[in-house]
Amino acid sequence: MGKLYTVMGKSATGKDHIYKAVVERCPTPLRTIVPYTTRPQRTSETEGVEYHFVTEAQMYELRWQGKIIECRCYETVNGPWYYFTADDGQIDLDAGSSILIATPEAYGQIRAYYGAERVVPIYIEVEDGERLRRAIKREAKQEHPEYKEVCRRFLADSEDFSDEALAGLGIEKRYENVDFERCVAEILADIAGDSGHVELS
């Protein structure tokens, strides 16, 4: 029976890079889960890799079909952006383990959907000052930088990822991304030591 490893972290903690490294280096294959969003695609992103980029109309169609496992809406400076996970066949824990990137709110809904014993949190942490510097540097590379949105996300993360919110979800262990290689190695060691981690058939 497989597990669903859920990678979480505030914006600019490097969770995307850690996620990719864990997938590439894990001795036992992990099925990757691509979430959905209605926000605009960034210049550095590829459809079907970081996200499936859809319209609100497409999202509502999936909801009408009963295929949305969890969904979050963020009121941004550019209007509402939705992020969600769909029951579209990507997740099959009877066949093996999977991994995806999510938020604490999404993790809670996914855990309720599949059961706490099958969903494992991987929480990435970076000191706030360093995280803000990374976020600004990343945004500066966009064709049309949205620094107001960077600030909004930075402040919103303080609430979404508060110690109280994490404790309420039973998220105790934190992987500090100061040394990237060490952080990835620690995560891989914990996955390898998870008795529920099995090879894909």
Side-chain angles (χ1 to χ4, degrees):
M1 182 178 294
K3 296 289 184 73
L4 178 53
Y5 295 96
T6 309
V7 180
M8 293 169 281
K10 296 177 182 177
S11 59
T13 54
K15 59 183 177 293
D16 291 336
H17 291 102
I18 288 174
Y19 166 85
K20 291 176 183 177
V22 169
V23 170
E24 290 172 358
R25 303 179 192 180
C26 191
T28 305
L30 294 171
R31 292 187 176 188
T32 56
I33 309 304
V34 181
Y36 291 73
T37 185
T38 63
R39 76 155 168 76
Q41 184 175 340
R42 293 172 181 156
T43 54
S44 62
E45 294 174 325
T46 303
E47 160 61 30
V49 178
E50 290 84 6
Y51 292 98
H52 289 301
F53 296 93
V54 297
T55 64
E56 284 192 30
Q58 290 172 309
M59 179 194 71
Y60 287 127
E61 176 64 20
L62 287 169
R63 176 174 289 171
W64 180 80
Q65 295 173 3
K67 292 185 176 181
I68 292 184
I69 296 171
E70 59 82 24
C71 182
R72 294 144 284 129
C73 178
Y74 299 97
E75 292 297 335
T76 77
V77 294
N78 296 306
W81 288 351
Y82 292 88
Y83 294 78
F84 61 96
T85 305
D87 189 355
D88 58 0
Q90 293 186 78
I91 302 174
D92 184 357
L93 299 183
D94 290 330
S97 294
S98 298
I99 188 169
L100 81 164
I101 298 175
T103 65
E105 180 185 359
Y107 164 75
Q109 295 178 48
I110 293 169
R111 187 180 65 171
Y113 191 89
Y114 289 104
E117 71 283 357
R118 306 191 77 175
V119 183
V120 180
I122 298 176
Y123 180 64
I124 312 299
E125 194 167 63
V126 170
E127 187 272 327
D128 278 348
E130 174 61 22
R131 190 168 62 82
L132 183 56
R133 286 189 286 272
R134 291 181 186 181
I136 292 173
K137 183 177 180 180
R138 180 179 68 184
E139 192 63 24
K141 297 178 181 178
Q142 300 301 310
E143 185 176 354
H144 302 290
E146 294 282 357
Y147 295 111
K148 288 183 179 179
E149 176 58 19
V150 170
C151 293
R152 184 205 66 78
R153 289 188 65 188
F154 185 85
L155 294 174
D157 280 347
S158 296
E159 181 176 342
D160 295 342
F161 292 84
S162 68
D163 290 340
E164 294 77 13
L166 297 177
L169 291 168
I171 300 173
E172 298 178 351
K173 181 155 188 178
R174 304 181 184 205
Y175 299 89
E176 192 172 0
N177 185 19
V178 174
D179 183 318
F180 179 81
E181 292 298 329
R182 181 178 296 177
C183 183
V184 171
E186 184 179 359
I187 293 169
L188 289 172
D190 285 348
I191 290 177
D194 188 340
S195 60
H197 186 61
V198 297
E199 291 197 23
L200 299 177
S201 58

